[in-house]
Amino acid sequence: MPENDPVKASQKGGARIVKVPSVAKRKLGHDVTDPVRLDPRVLEKMQDTIKGLESKYAEILSEQVTRLIELSDPAANGDARSAADLYTIAHDIRGLAGTFGRPLVGRFANLLCTYIEGHDKIGPLENSIIRFHVEAIREALKNPDSDPNLASETLRALENLIMATLNQNRLAG
């Protein structure tokens, strides 16, 4: 094998050992260290801790959804602080909901973040679409065991709505 070949092979007792280069090192450079393997007992303790925090997170999430509703009208009326807070809360939900057993809530929050990221300002149309997202988040929170087909269709409808408004904005210039 050539010296500069990224796949290095050696023969040991009739077996060929192939060392495949690390994807992380290729993307992040050779200074990156490989992840440390966790002791299974530590991992179990972490999972138990997360399970214990799930009920507290449900309360926080409910408060965050209420706050999203409160912020949407001021944001639509041009209040930049409300718009920034609305995005920050949606971003927090997007990042944490799946960790605490609410993946559907996280997916709706992700769509909301995507929508907000695609708009410089929030006006009445954007406010309506934001409210659709917030209502979907609230519904997913209240009914975590809802019909997965209905949830998928709602996600798809919101994605289509986002794409339509982004295309409309591009055409408007």
Side-chain angles (χ1 to χ4, degrees), residues 154-167:
T154 304
L155 281 164
R156 195 172 4 269
L158 288 172
E159 287 169 345
N160 291 338
L161 188 58
I162 289 171
M163 292 309 296
T165 58
L166 291 176
N167 288 334

Side-chain angles (χ1 to χ4, degrees), residues 37-110:
R37 298 203 190 280
L38 288 177
D39 181 327
R41 294 170 296 187
V42 172
L43 186 57
E44 186 177 324
K45 187 170 184 166
M46 288 169 55
Q47 290 170 335
D48 289 344
T49 301
I50 289 171
K51 285 214 180 292
L53 293 172
E54 279 184 18
S55 63
K56 179 65 177 165
Y57 179 70
E59 292 172 26
I60 292 168
L61 186 56
S62 180
E63 292 168 8
Q64 287 177 314
V65 170
T66 299
R67 188 74 180 126
L68 287 175
I69 293 167
E70 294 169 356
L71 290 169
S72 65
D73 285 336
N77 290 323
D79 182 3
R81 184 75 224 153
S82 293
D85 288 348
L86 187 131
Y87 178 79
T88 299
I89 292 169
H91 192 271
D92 285 348
I93 293 171
R94 168 173 77 176
L96 290 173
T99 301
F100 291 102
R102 307 260 184 330
L104 185 58
V105 171
R107 289 179 67 194
F108 283 122
N110 182 49

